[in-house]
Amino acid sequence: MPRSFLVKKHFSASKKPNYSELESQTVIVSPFLYEKYPLSVIPQSEILSSGSYYPPLVWDTGLLSNFFTSEPDYKQSAASPSEDSKPLDLTSLSSEEDEGSKTSDPPSPASSATEAEKFQCGQCNKSYSTFAGLSKHRQLHCDSQSRKSFSCKYCEKEYVSLGALKMHIRSHTLPCVCKICGKAFSRPWLLQGHIRTHTGEKPFSCTHCNRAFADRSNLRAHLQTHSDVKKYQCKTCSRTFSRMSLLHKHEETGCTGTR
DNA sequence: CTGGGGATGGGGCCC
DNA sequence: GGGGCCCCATCCCCA
C-alpha cells in the first residue's frame, strides 16, 4: 500500500502554485538540540548562522481564500453551465495553463454578451457561440481548475490540497539542515532525530531489556522481538514476523505453506 | 539467508 | 494554518 495515499494520479491538468514562494524556506533548529554535542565540533556561532535564513513563506490571503472557498464539483458537466459555482482565480499562481483566458479578453457582463454567444461557462462566465466552443474551453481551462489538483513541479505527484502539496515540496527543497554534517531534511523533527545520531541520545527505552533507541519507531519494532507471536503473519504458513519487510522477504522467497 | 538495529520519509492528527 | 508528534513504511547494513 503506498504511503502517499493522498497523492492524486494523473489528472489531465493541474494547478501549479507559486513555487518561488513555496520553496525558499530554511528551518532554523534550536541550538539546544545540539547541546550534548562537543562545542569544539559545533561552534555556537554556526548554529544560528544568518546565512541559512530565508524570508518566511508569504501567501496572498485573498488568493488562498479562493482555493478553499469552493469544493471540487466533479459532477458538474459542460451541459450544465448555468449551475452556480465560484470560479477559481489562479492567474497569479500559474502562467502555463490558462490558455483559455489568454485567447480573449476577460468575460464581459452578461448584458454585453451578444445573442450569438449563448453558451456561458458556469465557472468563469465566458460566453461562446457554440456548445463545442464552450466544451473545449471547459476542458482546457475551467473543468481542470475545478478539480483542485495541485501538482508538484519537481515530480509527477499531485495533491488534493495546497497544504499537502506544500508539505510534499519540502521533501524536494529540504529546508532543515544539520549544522554538524550538512545533511538536509524535509521537516524539523526529522532533523531532530538525525541530530540524535550525532549526540547519541536515546530517549526511548525498552521496558523488557532496557535497551535504548533514538527513535520511537525503532523501539516499537524492537518490542516485536520480545513477542512470541509477531505482528506480521504469513497468510500461507501462519509464520509471524516482527517487521513487514521481513514478511515481504519471506513471501518473495516463495512460501510453500510449510514452516 | 535471516533477523534485527539504525536511519529516514511522509501523511495524518492534534493543539 | 503551521508545528510537533504519531504511526507506518522502507532501505541499508551488520551479526
Side-chain angles (χ1 to χ4, degrees):
Chain A
M1 183 184 72
R3 282 172 288 150
S4 52
F5 46 83
L6 269 185
V7 176
K8 296 178 67 177
K9 305 290 184 187
H10 305 305
F11 277 136
S12 58
S14 55
K15 302 173 197 45
K16 295 187 185 299
N18 188 336
Y19 288 100
S20 64
E21 292 179 348
L22 280 175
E23 63 195 6
S24 59
Q25 289 179 291
T26 293
V27 171
I28 304 300
V29 173
S30 165
F32 296 108
L33 289 171
Y34 297 94
E35 64 184 356
K36 290 188 179 178
Y37 211 78
L39 290 179
S40 59
V41 180
I42 321 170
Q44 290 296 308
S45 60
E46 292 295 320
I47 292 176
L48 286 178
S49 69
S50 60
S52 59
Y53 176 76
Y54 289 87
L57 180 66
V58 177
W59 275 83
D60 182 283
T61 53
L63 190 61
L64 281 177
S65 67
N66 274 342
F67 275 102
F68 297 110
T69 47
S70 61
E71 292 298 316
D73 187 357
Y74 300 101
K75 294 176 183 176
Q76 188 176 19
S77 69
S80 58
S82 62
E83 283 187 28
D84 184 22
S85 67
K86 200 165 185 173
L88 278 170
D89 180 7
L90 296 177
T91 52
S92 61
L93 287 180
S94 171
S95 60
E96 304 171 5
E97 298 178 303
D98 58 348
E99 291 85 355
S101 62
K102 282 178 182 173
T103 55
S104 61
D105 292 334
S108 52
S111 60
S112 65
T114 66
E115 278 207 7
E117 295 175 338
K118 54 188 177 183
F119 296 95
Q120 189 177 40
C121 176
Q123 297 277 332
C124 67
N125 291 330
K126 288 177 71 174
S127 297
Y128 293 85
S129 57
T130 64
F131 177 72
L134 171 62
S135 295
K136 186 175 181 180
H137 156 77
R138 291 184 62 95
Q139 185 179 7
L140 288 174
H141 187 53
C142 285
D143 272 359
S144 61
Q145 286 193 354
S146 68
R147 291 190 182 104
K148 284 190 168 182
S149 163
F150 300 91
S151 68
C152 175
K153 78 170 182 179
Y154 299 103
C155 67
E156 298 298 314
K157 289 186 176 179
E158 298 182 9
Y159 293 82
V160 296
S161 73
L162 183 61
L165 172 62
K166 285 167 71 176
M167 188 63 72
H168 163 75
I169 285 176
R170 295 176 69 114
S171 68
H172 293 292
T173 58
L174 301 176
C176 311
V177 182
C178 176
K179 291 292 180 184
I180 299 169
C181 67
K183 188 168 172 59
F185 298 86
S186 58
R187 291 187 251 179
W189 60 266
L190 275 172
L191 174 57
Q192 288 180 28
H194 165 77
I195 289 173
R196 291 195 191 110
T197 68
H198 293 300
T199 63
E201 182 191 9
K202 294 182 176 179
F204 304 101
S205 299
C206 175
T207 56
H208 295 84
C209 64
N210 285 331
R211 182 166 184 152
F213 298 85
D215 183 83
R216 190 191 304 273
S217 293
N218 291 337
L219 169 60
R220 189 178 298 112
H222 165 79
L223 286 171
Q224 284 287 306
T225 68
H226 290 299
S227 175
D228 289 337
V229 179
K230 312 277 193 309
K231 187 176 179 179
Y232 303 98
Q233 185 176 41
C234 174
K235 289 189 173 78
T236 306
C237 70
S238 298
R239 187 177 175 184
T240 57
F241 298 87
S242 60
R243 294 177 175 219
M244 175 85 77
S245 58
L246 295 175
L247 171 59
H248 285 162
K249 264 187 203 173
H250 166 76
E251 292 174 336
E252 285 172 2
T253 55
C255 176
T256 60
T258 58
R259 304 178 59 168

